[in-house]
Amino acid sequence: MNKKTLIILGVLVILIFISVGRYNSMVGADETVIAQWANVETQYQRRADLIPNLVSTVKGYAAHEKETLEGVVQARAKATSVSIDPSNLNAQSMQQYQAAQNGLSSALSRLLVTVEKYPDLKANQNFLELQAQLEGTENRIAVERRRFNEVVRAYNTYIRSFPNNMLAGAFGFEKKEAFASQEGTENAPKVEF
């Protein structure tokens, strides 16, 4: 082998090692997004698991609020039926997921407004504990969504940066969608009694 051939082979080996390293970094970033998505889903599932107990507690005090209670149960069923394959986090699937979760949030808000009519229920220890757990879960959801958006941003930045964008395109790494606020969430809901 002549000197020129050795230099070319050396450069190719270096490029291969760099490419492998960058590819592995993309895989790691993709797996981080998937893991963080699982954390988001876990918190939404926690909220869904609290709802039957909350509805049962309210039902004992507010049996004639049947429509509100049924609305919560139906919204929970819809929210738990919508899931996303973490490898396919696209805008459409994220919007469907968010719409189902927002429907559940809205139904829960109506339920908690209804509770205001029942002072005995508001003083019930089981209800107070469930309400506190639900509030804590809503905070956890917000934290996990923020973390998810952070890892999606880091992933998207990495795969779209040069020269990573060339490798990402060649190996099928695509931009991931982050959570975005639904239209109208900047306005506080109106509560009427």
Side-chain angles (χ1 to χ4, degrees):
M1 278 190 175
N2 62 26
K3 191 173 187 179
K4 187 177 179 182
T5 306
L6 286 175
I7 291 172
I8 291 172
L9 283 175
V11 169
L12 284 175
V13 168
I14 290 170
L15 287 176
I16 289 171
F17 277 118
I18 290 171
S19 297
V20 167
R22 289 178 186 265
Y23 174 83
N24 289 339
S25 293
M26 288 178 203
V27 169
D30 188 47
E31 290 299 320
T32 300
V33 170
I34 291 169
Q36 188 56 46
W37 176 249
N39 292 342
V40 170
E41 284 187 315
T42 297
Q43 295 310 318
Y44 276 119
Q45 185 61 49
R46 177 182 164 79
R47 177 174 73 171
D49 292 345
L50 288 171
I51 290 170
N53 293 331
L54 187 67
V55 168
S56 294
T57 301
V58 173
K59 200 181 278 186
Y61 284 87
H64 59 282
E65 300 289 350
K66 185 177 181 181
E67 184 178 316
T68 302
L69 295 170
E70 286 177 355
V72 171
V73 171
Q74 289 170 1
R76 177 189 181 269
K78 183 176 181 184
T80 56
S81 71
V82 176
S83 64
I84 298 177
D85 174 8
S87 64
N88 188 24
L89 293 170
N90 60 39
Q92 182 183 2
S93 61
M94 291 295 285
Q95 287 172 352
Q96 288 174 338
Y97 190 84
Q98 282 182 268
Q101 294 302 328
N102 288 344
L104 181 54
S105 294
S106 178
L108 283 172
S109 294
R110 286 191 301 277
L111 177 66
L112 294 177
V113 167
T114 300
V115 165
E116 294 297 319
K117 300 177 189 176
Y118 302 95
D120 291 344
L121 175 59
K122 290 188 335 184
N124 178 284
Q125 190 62 37
N126 285 342
F127 177 77
L128 292 174
E129 287 176 18
L130 287 167
Q131 188 176 22
Q133 286 185 32
L134 189 59
E135 289 169 1
T137 299
E138 292 298 332
N139 289 335
R140 288 180 180 147
I141 288 170
V143 167
E144 294 302 336
R145 283 177 59 160
R146 180 184 52 77
R147 289 179 181 161
F148 175 76
N149 284 349
E150 288 171 358
V151 299
V152 165
R153 182 195 52 76
Y155 169 83
N156 287 341
T157 301
Y158 189 74
I159 68 161
R160 294 175 61 212
S161 299
F162 183 81
N164 297 341
N165 59 346
M166 293 186 300
L167 283 172
F171 289 111
F173 289 95
E174 295 179 359
K175 184 179 177 199
K176 304 281 187 188
E177 288 296 320
F179 269 102
S181 295
Q182 293 289 92
E183 191 174 315
T185 57
E186 69 277 0
N187 302 321
K190 293 181 182 178
V191 178
E192 296 177 16
F193 294 101

